[in-house]
Amino acid sequence: MERQQWKKIWVGSAGNMVEWFDWFVYASFAVYFADSFFPKGNDTANLMNTMGIFAVGFFMRPVGGWLLGRVGDRKGRKAALTLTVTLMSASAILIAIAPTYAVAGYGGVAVLLIARMLQGLSVGGEYAASATYLTEASAPGQRGFASSFQYVSMTAGQLLGLGLQIVLQRTMSEDALHSWAWRIPFIIGACGAAVVFYLRRNMLETEVYAADDAAQTDPARGTIKALLAHKREALLVIALTMGGTVAYYTYTTYLTKYLSNTVGLPKSTASLVSFCALFVFMCLQPLAGKLSDRIGRRPLLITFAVGSTFLTVPIMTLLRHAGSFWPAFGLALLALVVVTGYTSINACVKAELFPTGVRALGVALPYAIANALFGGTAEYVALWFKNGGIESGYYWYVAGCAAVSLVVYVTMRETRSLDLNRIGKDAAGTSGSSGRDEGRAASGVGA
């Protein structure tokens, strides 16, 4: 890759890392601050309430996807990425200073809710803006490899959060973690976001966006009207995201709680299992992305869906009986290797479906809707099954979502060889019906 391309990937990934650090530390530290915002009582019920607020953040993601996707298509990828990190910084500060139930009653819950709504807005736009930016910033034959760094940076953010959690668990008492030390990661996240804001203010716009004069002068760019011209592709994004997002959040944010609350491992051991498995998972992303540049996107997506459909129930069942670090680590890693078939390339697959003038919105809004319905509710659904005494029902739920996505992966067409500059254009370089036909051929929906 050229030096300039690496610079774009680095800046986009660094910001994405901080964004997702702030997003994930809420989930990983929820076991410590759940009791701070609700009356003392049932620990599982309090955790469910806290994760319910976590899910609210996901339901704000479609709004963020629409708002920031529109900014990305009308003002540029750089403008959208700068705005997302600003919102994330504000939300981290709010969580860090939120008053507890003992101090302000349910006032603390209100602050927490506002902060999660801001985070939802931010991440709703961040995913699409970074996916679009990383895909457009790379050479045509390296889009899978370059866009894989989105999940490298996402996972790096989560690893930093887990690493910080492990350090705090080993240096502070349980009482300190429950009373005040859980605020530390949010303070760090706010400071990191301020640094990234500076980096993104000086980042370079992608050549694909800058060179598309039609996209920049079209008054309909970045609008719902423009997106509806590609509604088949939008529906495809929802369907192909469904299985992937449920599996991803099951084996990342929910895994630590599952190992602690269900398997019975100490919280410190559960965190270490997640940290080690996620580190290997992170290293696999560029390798899988590069493989997709050689053999195509569909083989990896199909491998993920088959593995998740048929292995989720056995893996989760065996995990339940894993009594120590190594069995839990091996099973968690196996699950994440399967999920890699989705995470490593899903960003570029979605970006490859839409023309430049609606690419950010086309990725953002459908993806955010799918995450609100499936990814954001994954932990709440899992805890609901657990609270109802039928926890194994969640395993089948995850497998079922993957099976639905498998049907989509099998029927969709390959997107690896599409020219981002030509999607949505006819031979003369203007928007037209042939562009919509090309987009539909890429999606394979109805073919």
Side-chain angles (χ1 to χ4, degrees):
M1 279 189 176
E2 296 179 3
R3 183 177 178 180
Q4 200 72 276
Q5 289 179 326
W6 274 114
K7 182 178 180 180
K8 290 178 179 179
I9 291 172
W10 156 244
V11 174
S13 298
N16 201 38
M17 178 181 67
V18 174
E19 284 266 352
W20 290 94
F21 170 86
D22 288 338
W23 179 260
F24 280 121
V25 290
Y26 182 100
S28 60
F29 278 85
V31 292
Y32 292 111
F33 67 75
D35 290 339
S36 297
F37 294 97
F38 298 96
K40 301 294 183 181
N42 186 304
D43 289 342
T44 300
N46 283 346
L47 188 57
M48 284 182 67
N49 289 331
T50 308
M51 297 320 298
I53 296 176
F54 180 77
V56 168
F58 277 86
F59 283 102
M60 288 301 295
R61 286 176 68 165
V63 180
W66 166 73
L67 177 64
L68 295 166
R70 181 182 174 89
V71 171
D73 285 327
R74 297 182 72 86
K75 303 297 183 181
R77 318 315 187 198
K78 173 183 173 180
L81 287 169
T82 303
L83 182 55
T84 61
V85 78
T86 303
L87 293 172
M88 186 60 75
S89 179
S91 66
I93 292 172
L94 282 176
I95 296 175
I97 65 173
T100 64
Y101 181 82
V103 173
Y106 286 108
V109 175
V111 174
L112 198 64
L113 184 61
I114 293 171
R116 284 301 295 178
M117 291 172 70
L118 288 177
Q119 283 193 336
L121 286 173
S122 175
V123 174
E126 172 67 24
Y127 174 87
S130 62
T132 302
Y133 188 86
L134 289 172
T135 301
E136 291 182 348
S138 60
Q142 298 175 321
R143 292 200 298 256
F145 175 74
S147 64
S148 71
F149 281 89
Q150 182 180 48
Y151 271 83
V152 170
S153 56
M154 284 174 62
T155 307
Q158 187 173 7
L159 284 174
L160 287 174
L162 280 172
L164 179 59
Q165 186 177 47
I166 291 170
V167 170
L168 293 176
Q169 286 170 337
R170 281 161 171 72
T171 57
M172 295 191 173
S173 67
E174 192 80 2
D175 288 341
L177 284 169
H178 280 276
S179 62
W180 63 271
W182 60 264
R183 299 180 188 271
I184 293 175
F186 297 103
I187 296 172
I188 294 174
C191 294
V195 174
V196 171
F197 176 82
Y198 172 77
L199 292 175
R200 287 187 167 177
R201 287 282 294 175
N202 295 281
M203 72 193 302
L204 299 172
E205 187 58 82
T206 67
E207 293 181 4
V208 172
Y209 181 84
D212 196 329
D213 295 331
Q216 296 182 53
T217 57
D218 183 2
R221 70 190 187 281
T223 63
I224 297 297
K225 178 181 179 181
L227 180 59
L228 288 176
H230 304 274
K231 52 182 174 292
R232 293 190 178 189
E233 291 76 33
L235 291 173
L236 177 61
V237 170
I238 293 175
L240 67 85
T241 300
M242 176 182 177
T245 190
V246 171
Y248 177 74
Y249 280 99
T250 296
Y251 296 120
T252 55
T253 58
Y254 180 63
L255 180 65
T256 305
K257 301 176 187 65
Y258 181 76
L259 292 174
S260 177
N261 293 341
T262 298
V263 179
L265 294 179
K267 290 178 181 177
S268 58
T269 302
S271 297
L272 186 60
V273 168
S274 293
F275 183 90
C276 294
L278 283 169
F279 180 80
V280 178
F281 170 76
M282 178 182 68
C283 296
L284 291 175
Q285 302 307 299
L287 300 177
K290 195 169 187 65
L291 179 62
S292 78
D293 286 328
R294 296 180 64 88
I295 67 174
R297 321 299 189 210
R298 289 180 65 251
L300 272 71
L301 290 171
I302 291 172
T303 299
F304 150 71
V306 170
S308 192
T309 299
F310 295 103
L311 294 179
T312 294
V313 175
I315 287 174
M316 295 296 284
T317 302
L318 290 172
L319 262 177
R320 190 167 189 169
H321 301 287
S324 61
F325 171 84
W326 287 108
F329 169 73
L331 290 166
L333 182 58
L334 173 60
L336 287 172
V337 168
V338 172
V339 175
T340 295
Y342 166 80
T343 56
S344 60
I345 59 171
N346 82 94
C348 67
V349 170
K350 294 162 187 171
E352 287 167 342
L353 293 174
F354 297 95
T356 303
V358 74
R359 184 168 293 131
L361 180 62
V363 174
L365 187 55
Y367 172 80
I369 291 172
N371 264 270
L373 295 175
F374 304 104
T377 59
E379 290 195 71
Y380 194 84
V381 170
L383 291 169
W384 181 82
F385 275 111
K386 178 179 175 60
N387 210 39
I390 49 173
E391 191 166 19
S392 61
Y394 179 69
Y395 315 160
W396 291 99
Y397 169 76
V398 177
C401 290
V404 172
S405 288
L406 174 59
V407 175
V408 177
Y409 302 152
V410 170
T411 56
M412 70 181 286
R413 294 183 182 176
E414 185 56 61
T415 61
R416 175 187 53 159
S417 300
L418 291 176
D419 183 351
L420 295 183
N421 291 295
R422 302 303 306 162
I423 298 175
K425 297 179 179 179
D426 56 24
T430 57
S431 299
S433 60
S434 61
R436 290 190 292 273
D437 291 341
E438 182 181 346
R440 291 173 184 172
S443 69
V445 179

